[in-house]
Amino acid sequence: MHPQTPESLVRDHTVYSCVMGSRAFGLATEDSDTDRRGVFLAPTALYWCFEKPPTHVEGPAEEQFSWELERFCELALRANPNILECLHSPLVESVDDTGRELLSLREAFLSRRTHETFTRYAHGQRHKLDADVRTHGAPRWKHAMHLLRLLTSARDLLRTGVLTIDVGDEREPLLAVKRGEVPWPEVEARMNRLAREGEETARRSPLPDEPDRRRVEDFLVRTRRASALQPGPYDEVVQGVVRGRGVGED
């Protein structure tokens, strides 16, 4: 069996792709890039090879990045902010039946763990902004804008149990921050308030304590099994194993 190239896995086996970044957040301007993210399902038969399929692929297009389905689910169950936001992009470019089922599991990935992961990410970004202020007298305003967006999204997720990434009516106030039109002390105070509100909300959030790992794993196993039964190289051997017959048995 000849392993497929990373590019062909993305081209031929993507189950879900979307646009992320400023365009998905409702913060795009004329010079904004188009960041594409996707999920591909590596054919199960490839896992019988010594060389396993990649867990992620950068490209082949510019600003494009994709994860293999299992890796994507693992990261989503860990409440990785970037992964969870991908599942909630309003700009879906392509989706097949497997991708639609993945999207139907969005709430299964959400839990109170998001408070820890979003907060940890926000703290890292805040330290970088503070360092810029100390060194240069001002933050990188684009990064300040996105941190405000993230803190707002995290707070609202904990309040409602729903992750919404489009900033809606907050577009113009946030773009004013990006342009450097809002004094840093005011931006800093807003960040502190959002972080405090998120902390208070986390204690009474409607989100469950843990994600629904069993439901997600059931989806992954069914998807892998269905892939193994698709015609392809070694299909008689592979399908015989999947259906419960040993190799060489009739």
Side-chain angles (χ1 to χ4, degrees), residues 108-128:
F109 293 106
L110 296 177
S111 71
R112 294 192 183 190
R113 287 187 183 184
T114 56
H115 175 59
E116 177 187 351
T117 55
F118 276 68
T119 299
R120 186 167 59 239
Y121 183 81
H123 280 168
Q125 296 304 304
R126 178 64 184 274
H127 287 321
K128 293 178 182 178

Side-chain angles (χ1 to χ4, degrees), residues 46-203:
L46 294 183
Y47 288 93
W48 272 268
C49 300
F50 286 121
E51 184 179 350
K52 307 303 181 188
T55 58
H56 58 270
V57 175
E58 188 169 354
E62 292 186 10
E63 309 297 338
Q64 182 180 13
F65 194 96
S66 301
W67 296 267
E68 205 284 323
L69 178 64
E70 182 175 341
R71 178 60 173 165
F72 186 87
C73 289
E74 286 177 347
L75 293 172
L77 286 169
R78 296 178 195 170
N80 179 292
N82 291 324
I83 297 293
L84 292 179
E85 288 185 336
C86 280
L87 282 171
H88 293 79
S89 173
L91 302 178
V92 176
E93 290 198 314
S94 68
V95 61
D96 66 5
D97 289 342
T98 300
R100 275 185 280 273
E101 186 168 2
L102 174 64
L103 292 179
S104 76
L105 292 171
R106 282 184 290 204
E107 73 279 3
F109 293 106
L110 296 177
S111 71
R112 294 192 183 190
R113 287 187 183 184
T114 56
H115 175 59
E116 177 187 351
T117 55
F118 276 68
T119 299
R120 186 167 59 239
Y121 183 81
H123 280 168
Q125 296 304 304
R126 178 64 184 274
H127 287 321
K128 293 178 182 178
L129 291 172
D130 289 340
D132 286 338
V133 173
R134 289 193 300 270
T135 305
H136 306 292
R140 298 181 186 182
W141 292 109
K142 179 179 178 179
H143 294 180
M145 173 192 71
H146 280 298
L147 180 51
L148 285 171
R149 180 204 65 78
L150 180 76
L151 288 167
T152 302
S153 179
R155 180 203 61 187
D156 293 346
L157 168 60
L158 291 165
R159 278 181 176 175
T160 65
V162 177
L163 180 56
T164 302
I165 68 172
D166 190 305
V167 300
D169 295 340
E170 289 296 311
R171 171 181 164 84
E172 289 308 319
L174 286 170
L175 288 178
V177 171
K178 181 183 179 182
R179 293 190 295 265
E181 297 172 358
V182 184
W184 171 243
E186 183 178 334
V187 174
E188 189 177 31
R190 195 184 307 177
M191 289 176 178
N192 292 338
R193 175 178 57 81
L194 287 167
R196 186 171 59 253
E197 291 174 353
E199 190 74 35
E200 295 168 353
T201 303
R203 291 191 286 270

Side-chain angles (χ1 to χ4, degrees), residues 3-12 40 54 56-60:
Q4 298 189 11
T5 64
E7 293 77 13
S8 69
L9 286 172
V10 173
R11 183 187 65 239
D12 300 333
F40 64 91
H56 58 270
V57 175
E58 188 169 354

Side-chain angles (χ1 to χ4, degrees), residues 236-237 240-241 243-250:
E236 288 187 11
V237 173
V241 172
R243 291 192 171 108
R245 301 194 305 273
V247 176
E249 295 181 5
D250 294 327

